Amino acid sequence: MSLDEGVRRLSEGVNRMGGITEGIAELSGSLQQLGEGSLQLSQGSGTLLKGLQTSEKGSGDLTAASGSLIDAAGKLQNGSDQLLQGIGKADQKNEIEQVMDEIGADKDDQTARAFNRTFTLAAVILLAASVIGWFTDRRTNKIAS
């Protein structure tokens, strides 16, 4: 082998080494990007885990709140039923009071009519008895003394 050929081979080897160096530099950059991506993936996984835990807690709270809402809806329905019954009873009370007032007024009218008839009948009997009484008076004869 000649010196020229050895230099040429050495030059080719150095050129190849430069390509290897560039490849190693690219590989190093790629590894650094891969490391950064892995770090971001790890951080994202942590954030996702926290979000899932928060979601699980929120789901439990939502379930409890749903139960409370269902209970409250039942109580509200019961209260509405009682309110309707109360309104019905109040309306019945008003109707009963109105009927009782009408009955009282009718009773007072009939009682007044009965007394009027009684007093009218008594007045007619008294008047008739007074007239008859004048005719039934006895005259007393004066005895001479």
Side-chain angles (χ1 to χ4, degrees):
M1 238 202 311
S2 71
L3 187 59
D4 285 333
E5 190 176 319
V7 171
R8 184 183 60 77
R9 280 185 171 179
L10 185 60
S11 175
E12 286 175 7
V14 169
N15 283 340
R16 280 189 209 154
M17 286 284 263
I20 290 175
T21 305
E22 289 174 6
I24 291 174
E26 284 180 32
L27 183 60
S28 175
S30 295
L31 287 174
Q32 184 178 1
Q33 286 179 347
L34 182 62
E36 291 172 1
S38 294
L39 180 64
Q40 289 178 350
L41 182 62
S42 175
Q43 290 173 348
S45 295
T47 304
L48 180 62
L49 177 65
K50 287 180 184 177
L52 288 173
Q53 290 170 342
T54 303
S55 175
E56 181 181 13
K57 182 183 178 287
S59 176
D61 292 345
L62 184 61
T63 302
S66 294
S68 296
L69 274 175
I70 290 170
D71 290 343
K75 289 178 183 177
L76 186 61
Q77 179 65 38
N78 188 25
S80 296
D81 292 343
Q82 289 178 353
L83 183 63
L84 286 174
Q85 288 176 356
I87 290 172
K89 287 179 182 177
D91 191 41
Q92 286 176 351
K93 178 186 172 219
N94 290 338
E95 288 294 323
I96 289 172
E97 286 176 352
Q98 184 179 3
V99 167
M100 291 302 290
D101 288 343
E102 289 175 8
I103 289 172
D106 190 40
K107 179 191 68 118
D108 291 344
D109 288 344
Q110 289 184 11
T111 302
R113 274 191 242 141
F115 276 110
N116 284 340
R117 288 181 191 154
T118 301
F119 288 126
T120 302
L121 182 61
V124 168
I125 292 173
L126 185 61
L127 182 64
S130 296
V131 170
I132 293 172
W134 277 8
F135 295 112
T136 59
D137 274 347
R138 291 185 185 186
R139 291 193 180 162
T140 56
N141 291 332
K142 291 184 182 179
I143 301 177
S145 28

